[in-house]
Amino acid sequence: MATTTSIILDKRRIKKNGKFPLKLRVTNQRITRDYLTLFELSETDYKRLSGHKVSAELQKVRQTINEIVFGSNSLINQMEVFDFLKFKQEYVDLNTRFFKLNQRK
């Protein structure tokens, strides 16, 4: 079964600034894990990401999100057997675009 990745806006928790955290969602054999990125967007900005005309700031976010997805897919394709722990250790923990446990306030 294929492993899929996507970026989601986690609307379960709104931050004080009115924005929501962006997460990398990885799904394998109907098991899903979400990894918290450093990015947060309003619901409106998240919808604008897929548009043609976006601000320079959103273009940077979109580019970085695409790099996160591309990098995660590259590692997943290199793995003979997908393992969430190995993925986290080799991609999420080594990537500066994700929150680490000791970074949270």
Side-chain angles (χ1 to χ4, degrees):
M1 183 167 230
T3 302
T4 61
T5 60
S6 61
I7 294 290
I8 63 159
L9 186 69
D10 188 2
K11 295 191 287 186
R12 297 176 299 170
R13 182 173 77 88
I14 189 167
K15 296 191 165 200
K16 291 179 183 178
N17 61 7
K19 296 180 179 183
F20 299 96
L22 283 179
K23 295 184 176 184
L24 173 68
R25 175 166 284 173
V26 180
T27 305
N28 179 268
Q29 297 182 357
R30 298 184 186 170
I31 299 171
T32 300
R33 298 282 187 272
D34 293 339
Y35 301 99
L36 183 60
T37 70
L38 296 176
F39 301 99
E40 52 191 41
L41 293 174
S42 66
E43 194 169 359
T44 305
D45 285 343
Y46 182 73
K47 290 177 183 178
R48 288 181 186 159
L49 277 180
S50 60
H52 296 298
K53 295 182 179 181
V54 295
S55 67
E57 181 181 329
L58 281 180
Q59 284 179 1
K60 289 179 186 177
V61 171
R62 179 169 55 188
Q63 180 181 354
T64 305
I65 288 170
N66 289 337
E67 290 170 1
I68 289 171
V69 172
F70 180 79
S72 62
N73 285 333
S74 293
L75 176 63
I76 289 168
N77 290 335
Q78 292 173 8
M79 299 170 103
E80 289 183 27
V81 177
F82 181 79
D83 178 45
F84 282 107
L85 180 60
K86 185 177 179 183
F87 175 80
K88 183 180 180 300
Q89 290 171 341
E90 292 185 11
Y91 188 71
V92 176
D93 290 345
L94 300 177
N95 195 319
T96 59
R97 297 173 179 145
F98 290 93
F99 268 110
K100 311 302 184 263
L101 287 177
N102 57 357
Q103 281 183 316
R104 293 188 184 178
K105 295 178 182 177

